[in-house]
Amino acid sequence: MRYHAIDNSLYIHNRANFVKHLKPKSLAVFNSNDMMPTNADGLMPFRQNNDLLYLSGVDQEESILVIFPEATNPKHREILFVKETSELIAIWEGEKLDKTAATKQSGIQTIYWLTDFEQVFHTLAIEAERIYLNQNEHLRASAIVQTCDDRFRIDCKAKYPDHEYERLAPIMNVLRPIKSQLEIDTMQHACDITEKGFRRILEFVKPGVMEYEIEAEFSHEFLRNRSRGFAYTPIIASGYNACVLHYIENNMECKAGDVILMDVGSEYANYASDMTRCVPVSGRFTDRQKEVYNAVLRVMKGATSMLVPGTDHEEYHAEVGKMMESELLGLGLLDKTAIANQDPLNPAYKKYFMHGTSHHIGLDVHDIENRATPFVEGMVLTVEPGIYIPSENLGIRLENDVMITKDGQHDLMRNIPLEAEEIEDLMNS
Ligand code: GLY
Ligand code: MN
Ligand code: MN
């Protein structure tokens, strides 16, 4: 691991919260993610299953976590199975977890080699009445690839057809959105690395640079700070490209007079940060660009102030829509007739602001969530309004990551330059 390990008290605390949600006589199983192939003998970089990570801290392939709070053998109430390491593996792949290191990382006392799984699981399964299985139930998940959890579900149900089965996802959707202090510290660290990247490019941008050169500057700064790199595919979009919401080619030249929209965040210890900033290629915004920039900034500040315990998700988005409507009127992009005649299901502002304002963030950039409950202390959400005007070759989006506190917010990106004048000053200093 490139990052400094998170203290195992996080995982001990997370498991203690998790077991409170299980029905009696239940066994829960979490599988690690697979190593995904590319071609020939190539593999993609490993990315752990976030639920397994959340409950164990184990960032290694071929690992299984079993939790069975009422197991008669106390040693079997929490078990971690990891792949048996060897001198041969150490020579070819490097250090892997041995049993002592696995306990240190997770706080779990019972560590078995993966080869013991089938036999141990059988003894637990016949003692349990119900089995909780995991599945990616993210609202927008569209994965067609079978995961290790998916394969396990098929095998387990075939082998134990008469057990009761339950879903883990609804429990994880309640637990993971509320971050504890160690998670906030880690997310703050990811945001701080992103800040370093942004300050670096403020000195780098000038007419003629290529978008991918800016991407490379961010990447350099992230990697030298123990990040594995971008938390998601970065968007470096100059001029008109900023109006293409998922522009990721990043292959155009940045031209004098244009604005560059950069939606970029580092990951640290598997936690994501997600920032968007817009900067003028020539170091100064035009009056019109600044007018649009400040309109987006006002909506961002207004939206942020609504991130308090008790706010309802849908009402929040509707309120932000009204703020945006008023700004678009001020900018002359909408008129009163368009608003009077608008379809409430597809309001007029959506012509210029067509995406959501906020999403949860954590181990996933678009973190799992439970929209049925209002905001509560400890949630971290992005705030990311935008105005996109293709006819002016201009797209402005501003995005910070904000934690909800007992009586307000704590902005994890409060130190990243945001005001238009501050950005201009830094680019011209
Ligand atoms: N970077 C992805 C997003 O802003 O949601
Ligand atoms: Mn975002
Ligand atoms: Mn973003």
Side-chain angles (χ1 to χ4, degrees):
M1 286 175 336
R2 180 175 299 171
Y3 54 89
H4 297 295
I6 300 176
D7 191 277
N8 68 18
S9 60
L10 173 64
Y11 310 110
I12 294 168
H13 164 86
N14 289 350
R15 289 193 298 277
N17 276 342
F18 168 77
V19 297
K20 290 182 200 153
H21 293 260
L22 294 177
K23 293 181 180 171
K25 299 251 163 85
S26 292
L27 176 61
V29 188
F30 295 85
N31 285 275
S32 59
N33 277 343
D34 285 316
M35 299 289 295
M36 298 304 286
T38 53
N39 289 289
D41 59 351
L43 295 169
M44 292 189 187
F46 176 66
R47 183 60 172 79
Q48 184 56 289
N49 176 281
N50 281 336
D51 295 324
L52 180 89
L53 197 58
Y54 181 81
L55 294 172
S56 72
V58 169
D59 196 355
Q60 185 171 294
E61 71 283 4
E62 296 188 62
S63 310
I64 305 177
L65 171 66
V66 175
I67 298 182
F68 185 9
E70 293 167 73
T72 41
N73 179 350
K75 275 177 58 188
H76 285 172
R77 291 179 185 162
E78 297 182 333
I79 311 174
L80 190 62
F81 294 86
V82 293
K83 187 176 155 182
E84 182 165 7
T85 193
S86 67
E87 276 180 33
L88 189 70
I89 291 174
I91 287 169
W92 283 84
E93 296 178 35
E95 199 182 339
K96 299 274 173 186
L97 292 175
D98 60 19
K99 291 187 179 183
T100 311
T103 291
K104 181 157 183 274
Q105 180 62 43
S106 63
I108 294 173
Q109 300 303 321
T110 306
I111 313 288
Y112 290 137
W113 299 130
L114 196 58
T115 41
D116 296 327
F117 179 78
E118 219 170 287
Q119 181 264 321
V120 174
F121 185 73
H122 184 64
T123 63
L124 302 179
I126 53 179
E127 198 184 324
E129 284 179 8
R130 59 184 66 75
I131 303 177
Y132 280 73
L133 297 175
N134 209 8
Q135 186 176 14
N136 179 2
E137 294 187 18
H138 193 282
L139 211 53
R140 286 187 270 167
S142 61
I144 52 165
V145 178
Q146 200 175 43
T147 64
C148 197
D149 272 325
D150 293 335
R151 290 196 304 277
F152 182 75
R153 182 177 334 105
I154 294 165
D155 290 349
C156 190
K157 287 188 166 177
K159 206 160 170 196
Y160 304 102
D162 296 326
H163 276 67
E164 275 181 45
Y165 283 92
E166 296 277 348
R167 291 150 56 218
L168 284 167
I171 301 178
M172 303 315 289
N173 286 352
V174 168
L175 295 177
R176 278 182 40 196
I178 300 170
K179 274 68 182 176
S180 51
Q181 191 58 48
L182 278 170
E183 290 186 285
I184 295 293
D185 294 346
T186 311
M187 292 179 73
Q188 181 66 66
H189 197 72
C191 291
D192 293 346
I193 296 173
T194 300
E195 177 187 349
K196 289 184 184 177
F198 182 57
R199 290 189 184 275
R200 182 183 180 100
I201 69 90
L202 285 177
E203 292 175 13
F204 177 78
V205 166
K206 57 180 180 312
V209 297
M210 301 299 286
E211 292 165 346
Y212 54 75
E213 291 182 275
I214 297 173
E215 179 177 335
E217 293 295 311
F218 273 111
S219 185
H220 180 110
E221 197 62 34
F222 291 177
L223 264 56
R224 71 198 288 262
N225 282 285
R226 289 183 180 269
S227 161
R228 204 159 34 190
F230 296 103
Y232 53 90
T233 310
I235 296 169
I236 313 283
S238 60
Y240 175 86
N241 298 334
C243 299
V244 180
L245 292 181
H246 290 159
Y247 174 82
I248 51 171
E249 287 296 329
N250 306 346
N251 62 357
M252 306 281 274
E253 184 184 323
C254 300
K255 302 255 170 54
D258 277 349
V259 170
I260 315 168
L261 180 155
M262 296 171 289
D263 187 340
V264 171
S266 80
E267 73 85 54
Y268 181 75
N270 291 295
Y271 282 84
S273 64
D274 185 2
M275 173 198 79
T276 308
R277 288 292 184 272
C278 296
V279 305
V281 175
S282 316
R284 299 251 175 241
F285 292 103
T286 65
D287 289 348
R288 174 62 173 172
Q289 288 165 350
K290 202 177 271 190
E291 203 183 13
V292 178
Y293 189 103
N294 285 332
V296 175
L297 186 53
R298 280 191 293 273
V299 176
M300 186 198 206
K301 289 177 179 172
T304 303
S305 69
M306 288 185 66
L307 291 183
V308 290
T311 301
D312 173 80
H313 229 287
E314 299 309 321
E315 279 170 29
Y316 165 73
H317 277 97
E319 268 317 302
V320 176
K322 285 189 205 151
M323 292 180 212
M324 186 54 94
E325 183 181 279
S326 143
E327 293 295 346
L328 291 171
L329 270 171
L331 290 169
L333 292 166
L334 290 182
D335 60 32
K336 290 204 164 133
T337 320
I339 291 170
N341 296 332
Q342 70 188 351
D343 171 2
L345 295 177
N346 186 23
Y349 76 79
K350 288 207 179 259
K351 179 173 176 201
Y352 297 100
F353 173 40
M354 52 295 269
H355 55 78
T357 310
S358 293
H359 54 82
H360 287 253
I361 180 166
L363 285 166
D364 284 300
V365 175
H366 295 163
D367 216 21
I368 57 174
E369 61 178 328
N370 175 9
R371 289 213 169 191
T373 49
F375 296 150
V376 296
E377 179 183 358
M379 289 179 168
V380 182
L381 290 106
T382 64
V383 183
E384 48 178 308
I387 295 177
Y388 309 91
I389 321 171
S391 59
E392 298 182 27
N393 289 333
L394 179 64
I396 303 284
R397 176 166 68 255
L398 299 170
E399 178 174 22
N400 275 8
D401 303 343
V402 177
M403 179 181 69
I404 297 176
T405 61
K406 188 154 56 70
D407 42 22
Q409 322 72 38
H410 178 62
D411 189 338
L412 302 183
M413 294 189 159
R414 63 201 173 282
N415 296 326
I416 306 183
L418 179 62
E419 299 289 332
E421 291 73 21
E422 187 183 1
I423 285 170
E424 288 180 333
D425 288 348
L426 287 163
M427 290 183 82
N428 291 289
S429 60

